[in-house]
Structure formats: structure tokens, C-alpha cells
Amino acid sequence: MTDEREHGGTTVRTVDWDARAAGFDEEPDHGLRDPGVRAAWSARLRSWLPGHPADVLDIGCGTGSMSLLAAEQGHRVTAVDLSRAMTERARAKLAGHGAEVLRGPAEAPPVGERRFDVILVRHVLWALPDQARVLRHWRDLLRPGGRFVLVEGVWGESHPVGVPADRLTALLEPLTAGARVERLSGDAVLWGKEVTDERYAVVATV
């Protein structure tokens, strides 16, 4: 089931992720099964994350592909997703890598009083209502000097959905000490195909 609605000038879509879990990894940038795609995401992630072992909270982890890359790079990963089917696949994928997988909403990850060095979110914020409030809450989960690593975009032609980079940087401005935008649309290897829509990453320190 998919539902679309407007929120703050952005189209927000809710998706039945349990129903999509079985085929989720078939997309090249989801499952990272192609060695070239996997290597491309691994290199990008290495450039975004700290150069030392850090506590990373992967929010809306899906089947855990990005969590796995972070864990393989030596980081201590906590992965969260609301979908039971997604978290089951993430646990299987992350088995033996010391990562923790929790089930809960992206808006309020069930991590208690724990704080993290990195909030990692890929293709999740666009689907959440009240994105400003969500970002404020995520900011509270970061330690001083921590960082956001947010991979987002705007997809579709006739009915585009997503968060434009200028909107996301504006939302982050009062919460962070500085942010940089890395454009990803031109790197076809990341997606396993050529893309023409807006895809980017924002790395912002607090």
C-alpha cells in the first residue's frame, strides 16, 4: 500500500515496507550485490564517516546494506527500522559483525539515552512528515562534534517525491555548525545505471 500526501511543500509517501522487503535488495543500490556498486558505496561511506571506530546509528536501515559496509569499516553499528521483515533481513546480513538491529520508528529510534558519533540515514527523511522536528530529535542523539550523513534526493518526473538539497540544508542550518552537499546523480556506478534526477549526500557536523 502506498499513500501520498503533502507536508510543508514536500510530497511525503508512506509505503508498506514489509511487503517490499523480499524484493528490496534486487535494486542495485539497495542490495549492493554488484561488486562495482558495492565498492562505490563503500568508498563514499568511508569518506563520510570518521577515520576511527565510531558509534553509528543507521536509521531506516532497510535490509542493512549500509550498516554492513560501516561495520566492515570498523564502526560500531546500531541499525533501526520499523519494518519487521526488513529488520529480520538486516539481522541475517549483519550476523557476525557485532552490529545491533532494533525495530522501531525512524522518528524516534528506540535507543534510550544512548548517544552516537554519526547519524546515518539513506532515503528515509523524504518519507517522514514534519522533517524539521525529526531532524531536531536526531540532533539530540548525537554527541558533541558528531555528524549527520544524510543521503536523499528527489525522484520521479510526473509526480516527484523527495527532499531537495537546498531544503535539507536549510532545515539543518540551525542545528549544525556546517554542512556540505555532495552531488551523487552523476555517479552512475552508485545506482547501477545512469540517473537524471537529484541525488545527493549532506554531511553536517554539530
Side-chain angles (χ1 to χ4, degrees):
M1 178 185 300
T2 301
D3 173 60
E4 291 186 1
R5 61 193 182 281
E6 291 289 329
H7 182 85
T10 301
T11 300
V12 178
R13 178 182 295 176
T14 58
V15 178
D16 184 347
W17 294 110
D18 280 332
R20 293 188 59 181
F24 189 76
D25 280 352
E26 293 175 8
E27 288 291 326
D29 60 305
H30 291 170
L32 307 184
R33 292 168 172 166
D34 179 275
V37 175
R38 193 176 197 280
W41 277 106
S42 181
R44 293 279 184 164
L45 195 62
R46 191 178 298 277
S47 74
W48 299 331
L49 297 180
H52 55 82
D55 293 313
V56 176
L57 178 61
D58 183 4
I59 299 175
C61 67
T63 61
S65 294
M66 294 292 280
S67 290
L68 179 59
L69 293 182
E72 288 175 342
Q73 293 177 13
H75 298 292
R76 299 175 294 271
V77 177
T78 301
V80 176
D81 202 281
L82 182 61
S83 163
R84 186 181 303 277
M86 291 286 193
T87 55
E88 288 172 355
R89 285 165 172 76
R91 288 192 182 99
K93 190 176 290 187
L94 289 160
H97 288 85
E100 181 180 14
V101 180
L102 304 174
R103 182 168 176 257
E107 299 93 324
V111 295
E113 298 300 313
R114 295 163 59 189
R115 296 296 177 264
F116 298 86
D117 302 304
V118 180
I119 299 291
L120 171 64
V121 186
R122 185 176 69 158
H123 302 167
V124 174
L125 188 64
W126 70 275
L128 303 177
D130 202 348
Q131 293 155 0
R133 180 188 62 79
V134 170
L135 286 168
R136 288 194 300 271
H137 180 66
W138 289 351
R139 166 65 180 81
D140 290 340
L141 300 178
L142 283 170
R143 296 183 177 121
R147 70 183 71 174
F148 286 105
V149 176
L150 307 175
V151 181
E152 290 292 337
V154 179
W155 305 276
E157 296 181 2
S158 58
H159 298 287
V161 296
V163 184
D166 57 356
R167 171 172 166 76
L168 181 50
T169 54
L171 290 171
L172 287 169
E173 186 173 2
L175 305 175
T176 61
R180 66 178 174 88
V181 177
E182 191 169 321
R183 301 291 176 175
L184 304 178
S185 300
D187 190 346
V189 179
L190 287 172
W191 316 107
K193 60 184 178 182
E194 296 286 342
V195 299
T196 59
D197 46 21
E198 181 182 11
R199 306 187 187 198
Y200 64 90
V202 173
V203 180
T205 57
V206 302

